[in-house]
Amino acid sequence: MKVLSRFNGPPGMGNGGYSAGLLAAHVDSQAVSVRLRKPVPLDREMEVRDGQLLDGDVVIASAEPATLDLDVPAAPTLDEARAAAAKVPWRDKHPFPTCFGCGPGREDGIAALLGPLDGRSEWAGVWRPGDVLPNDGTNVLPEIVWAALDCPSAQPVAPDGGPAFVLGTFVAQVERPVELGVDHLLLAWELGREGRKAYSASAIIGPHGVCGRARAVWLTRSDEIK
């Protein structure tokens, strides 16, 4: 397994959701829990063995089957989501502006930028995946869905762009294909905090219902992946 430099998160390391999605493909389960233990190296061939991603003898990440009991809040309209995204604080105060998942300057990325919904605790945005993203000709690949679930869930826990958080544990499941050229709602909400950890959830909602949902544990950058 190799994470190409295009799919970076913070500078010099793999995007957490994308990397987790690649590893999750080696686990026979709809919902998979991935724990990122070390920053994921870029452009380096690594071994996947017994659910672990290994860089030599170093365990970079581990994955296992999971269950995901997560209710998705009622979907806003596309117009409500666009209005929320227009207020996005991260557009000008992004902690990792070159991130594949949510970097505002990435024309070859997902550019998942959300903002707070009026009168609600959730954040929302609209994503229309283009064929610049890895795809099978009709739908984006599953690891792209994982990446699109990852970055949105960070934004409600760091609404002003800081302190910077990195992904620690991610439990996700893909339920429906995410089609190219079709508007999808991105929804994210905070679940709570404990010390330096923050907990959040996210969902992608397409024209026919929920395409994917996820629960995340975020670590402040100073604590990252011990």
Side-chain angles (χ1 to χ4, degrees), residues 1 3 16-28 32-36 40 47-54 59-64 143 146:
M1 173 179 150
V3 178
Y18 177 85
S19 303
L22 286 180
L23 182 57
H26 296 266
V27 178
D28 185 16
V32 179
S33 176
V34 177
R35 181 180 177 191
L36 298 167
V40 178
E47 181 183 3
V48 177
R49 186 172 70 235
D50 298 327
Q52 293 186 323
L53 178 62
L54 302 169
V59 178
I60 300 297
S62 58
E64 61 184 6
E143 56 267 29
W146 276 65

Side-chain angles (χ1 to χ4, degrees), residues 2 6 17 22-23 48 71 76 82 87 96 104 112 115 124 142 157 163 166 172 192-193 212 224:
K2 181 189 291 186
R6 171 187 174 186
L22 286 180
L23 182 57
V48 177
D71 292 330
R82 290 190 182 97
K87 300 180 292 185
F96 308 121
V157 304
V166 291
R193 294 175 186 257
E224 67 180 66

Side-chain angles (χ1 to χ4, degrees), residues 17-216:
Y18 177 85
S19 303
L22 286 180
L23 182 57
H26 296 266
V27 178
D28 185 16
S29 176
Q30 183 182 29
V32 179
S33 176
V34 177
R35 181 180 177 191
L36 298 167
R37 300 172 182 271
K38 300 286 184 182
V40 178
L42 296 171
D43 296 322
R44 183 181 305 171
E45 196 65 50
M46 293 172 284
E47 181 183 3
V48 177
R49 186 172 70 235
D50 298 327
Q52 293 186 323
L53 178 62
L54 302 169
D55 183 19
D57 295 330
V58 178
V59 178
I60 300 297
S62 58
E64 61 184 6
T67 56
L68 185 58
D69 183 13
L70 179 69
D71 292 330
V72 174
T77 66
L78 288 171
D79 285 344
E80 288 170 337
R82 290 190 182 97
K87 300 180 292 185
V88 60
W90 276 34
R91 196 176 304 280
D92 300 316
K93 298 181 180 179
H94 201 295
F96 308 121
T98 63
C99 174
F100 169 75
C102 56
R106 290 291 300 268
E107 294 183 358
D108 63 341
I110 295 171
L113 291 169
L114 285 66
L117 284 163
D118 288 337
R120 295 179 53 168
S121 58
E122 297 88 18
W123 286 40
V126 177
W127 176 39
R128 177 177 286 192
D131 59 10
V132 68
L133 298 170
N135 65 83
D136 63 7
T138 303
N139 309 305
V140 297
L141 298 185
E143 56 267 29
I144 301 302
V145 180
W146 276 65
L149 286 166
D150 162 25
C151 285
S153 67
Q155 295 171 45
V157 304
D160 59 356
F165 282 85
V166 291
L167 188 61
T169 301
F170 201 47
V171 184
Q173 65 183 34
V174 179
E175 301 170 29
R176 287 183 174 87
V178 173
E179 188 176 352
L180 295 170
V182 175
D183 285 336
H184 291 74
L185 287 165
L186 299 177
L187 199 62
W189 60 102
E190 186 177 350
L191 295 175
R193 294 175 186 257
E194 182 182 355
R196 293 176 178 267
K197 294 181 180 179
Y199 303 89
S200 65
S202 58
I204 301 171
I205 305 171
H208 306 295
V210 175
C211 299
R213 67 189 79 200
R215 187 188 303 268

